[in-house]
Amino acid sequence: MHSELTENQKMIAQMVRDFGEKEIRPNFMDWDENQTFPLETMKKMGELGLLGVLVPEEYGGSGFGYYEYYTAVSETGRICGSIGLSVAAHNSLCTGHIMSFGTEEQKKKWLPKLASGEWIGAWGLTESNTGSDALRMKTTAVKDGDHYVLNGAKNWITHGISGDVAVVLVRTGELLDSRGITAIVVERGTPGFKAGKKENKLGMRASETAEMIFEDCRVPAENVLGEVGEGFIQAMKILDGGRISIAALSLGIAKGAYDAAVKYSKEREQFGKPIADFQAISFKLADMATEIEAAELLTLQAADLKNKKKEVTKQSAMAKYYASEVCVRAATEAVQIFGGYGYTKDFPVEKFYRDSKLCTIGEGTSEIQKLVISRKILSE
């Protein structure tokens, strides 16, 4: 299994760090405070190839694999979790779904715009009454000639307001029928498609999360991805890859918090010496470092299987579950190491702390990951 950084990964890591120091770090607290989604910054990341990491070059993408993708997301999250989340959602969900299940014509139509950052992507599965219980979704699509008419709403959607195009999962069959869900692409500006409430979140505040509303929204039947009725099965496969994204994001946030804690513990003095010299602090750092490395190995294992196009459901769930929990623990300990200063917005760890919690919830809660893992191991 891959464990050393490739030249491509080193290049991407340095590119993200350079871009982040110039474009993200000076602004991320203002974005966070004001819940500003930095659309122009995202588009600049598109120009660098960071919004089409996995997209083949023939469709305008960078043509890389999951090691490089892991690096892009984690290094972005190491600076700002919000921007890392937006990069992950754009790449793995909307763009990834079209890339995995679109026809050649559909790929040529949408992927170049998404990969370049000209368009920002959204992906709609969750509704107000259905999170993990997606088969009870109420958003419907009814065939009418050569169009589908969509009615309903999707909630907790990354880029629900600013997204130029969305892959939306809709019910075309009976309730609870896993073959009754269909994926369809809806472009912003389509009559009957509008943005709804923007969520006022604890963390990840610069990553836009909002409602998407469909009222008699007529979408061409040619926008269906794959076959009618395959949407739920497609979504589960997309989430397998998405879990690698959130594991990568979790590791980025955890590393950011850890870096800040190590630096502070060497500089902060109490009782005449740096607090890093106290066992209570040094043992916290030892635990953080060990858990981060273990989580990274799990994530790279999942990335390796994904690159080889092998079954990845169990490994991606393990990576996402463990990395996200490690992320929360690392951020919590970082705040503790900073003491009172860690509770203020003058230092970076309070933001890592707030951002970290989403990683245990988004793209499947920790409880759902344990459900996926347990079902897999008990069926082996």
Side-chain angles (χ1 to χ4, degrees):
M1 187 188 74
H2 168 87
S3 59
E4 296 294 327
L5 288 181
T6 65
E7 288 304 313
N8 282 335
Q9 284 179 281
K10 291 176 183 176
M11 175 194 72
I12 291 169
Q14 192 59 55
M15 179 175 69
V16 172
R17 288 169 194 159
D18 292 343
F19 178 84
E21 291 302 321
K22 180 182 178 183
E23 301 285 347
I24 299 175
R25 195 177 298 281
N27 304 301
F28 70 68
M29 283 308 296
D30 284 339
W31 296 338
D32 183 83
E33 288 285 297
N34 298 308
Q35 298 192 77
T36 301
F37 174 55
L39 187 57
E40 290 308 310
T41 301
M42 283 290 289
K43 289 183 178 295
K44 288 179 182 179
M45 296 185 84
E47 293 171 6
L48 293 175
L50 295 170
L51 298 188
V53 181
L54 298 166
V55 176
E57 291 181 38
E58 62 190 284
Y59 303 115
S62 299
F64 289 131
Y66 270 79
Y67 294 146
E68 291 84 3
Y69 179 51
Y70 160 80
T71 303
V73 173
S74 63
E75 288 295 335
T76 306
R78 201 167 186 163
I79 300 169
C80 177
S82 292
I83 308 305
L85 176 61
S86 280
V87 169
H90 175 96
N91 272 284
S92 71
L93 298 181
C94 179
T95 306
H97 202 138
I98 294 170
M99 187 173 68
S100 296
F101 297 104
T103 63
E104 187 66 20
E105 184 178 352
Q106 289 171 331
K107 291 176 184 178
K108 288 179 178 177
K109 180 177 181 180
W110 290 306
L111 289 182
K113 292 179 179 179
L114 288 164
S116 67
E118 179 184 347
W119 279 13
I120 300 299
W123 192 76
L125 176 65
T126 307
E127 298 182 2
S128 60
N129 63 309
T130 57
S132 304
D133 189 13
L135 288 179
R136 294 183 190 273
M137 68 173 60
K138 294 182 178 179
T139 301
T140 59
V142 177
K143 188 77 180 294
D144 181 23
D146 58 356
H147 282 70
Y148 278 91
V149 180
L150 276 61
N151 279 286
K154 295 292 178 178
N155 294 69
W156 303 102
I157 308 305
T158 304
H159 311 145
I161 296 170
S162 299
D164 299 282
V165 62
V167 174
V168 186
L169 282 301
V170 292
R171 188 157 57 81
T172 50
E174 296 300 314
L175 198 69
L176 299 179
D177 180 5
S178 63
R179 295 279 179 178
I181 306 295
T182 300
I184 191 163
V185 179
V186 187
E187 294 184 11
R188 187 71 63 183
T190 303
F193 175 28
K194 64 180 182 180
K197 175 190 175 185
K198 180 179 178 180
E199 302 296 341
N200 184 6
K201 308 191 300 278
L202 168 72
M204 302 290 194
R205 291 167 61 83
S207 180
E208 177 187 280
T209 305
E211 185 180 32
M212 296 192 302
I213 299 170
F214 305 92
E215 296 176 344
D216 293 326
C217 178
R218 293 179 61 83
V219 181
E222 65 190 31
N223 285 21
V224 169
L225 293 173
E227 298 297 324
V228 172
E230 287 185 347
F232 181 77
I233 297 157
Q234 292 175 9
M236 294 305 101
K237 292 178 180 177
I238 292 302
L239 287 172
D240 278 348
R243 287 168 183 148
I244 298 174
S245 301
I246 301 302
L249 176 61
S250 299
L251 279 159
I253 294 170
K255 287 179 180 180
Y258 170 77
D259 292 342
V262 169
K263 183 174 184 291
Y264 182 80
S265 70
K266 290 178 177 178
E267 295 172 350
R268 172 70 166 169
E269 291 192 0
Q270 291 287 275
F271 305 102
K273 59 183 178 180
I275 62 173
D277 289 351
F278 293 97
Q279 190 179 80
I281 302 300
S282 64
F283 276 19
K284 286 182 186 295
L285 295 172
D287 284 339
M288 292 163 73
T290 302
E291 291 191 340
I292 287 170
E293 189 144 334
E296 187 164 40
L297 288 170
L298 270 175
T299 306
L300 289 172
Q301 180 188 44
D304 183 58
L305 290 172
K306 191 70 175 170
N307 277 340
K308 293 174 179 175
K309 302 187 187 306
K310 292 185 177 181
E311 168 68 39
V312 74
T313 302
K314 182 178 74 173
Q315 283 76 13
S316 65
M318 285 179 167
K320 195 273 187 188
Y321 165 54
Y322 188 68
S324 64
E325 295 290 341
V326 165
C327 177
V328 172
R329 286 197 292 272
T332 302
E333 291 289 42
V335 171
Q336 195 71 16
I337 289 169
F338 271 74
Y341 289 115
Y343 205 65
T344 72
K345 292 182 182 291
D346 294 328
F347 290 84
V349 290
E350 70 84 31
K351 182 176 181 298
F352 286 126
Y353 181 71
R354 288 186 291 106
D355 288 348
S356 69
K357 190 56 192 169
L358 184 277
C359 296
T360 68
I361 299 170
E363 294 197 36
T365 62
S366 291
E367 290 72 22
I368 286 295
Q369 304 313 315
K370 287 192 275 189
L371 182 65
V372 171
I373 295 161
S374 61
R375 284 178 175 175
K376 277 293 180 182
I377 61 178
L378 291 171
S379 66
E380 291 175 350

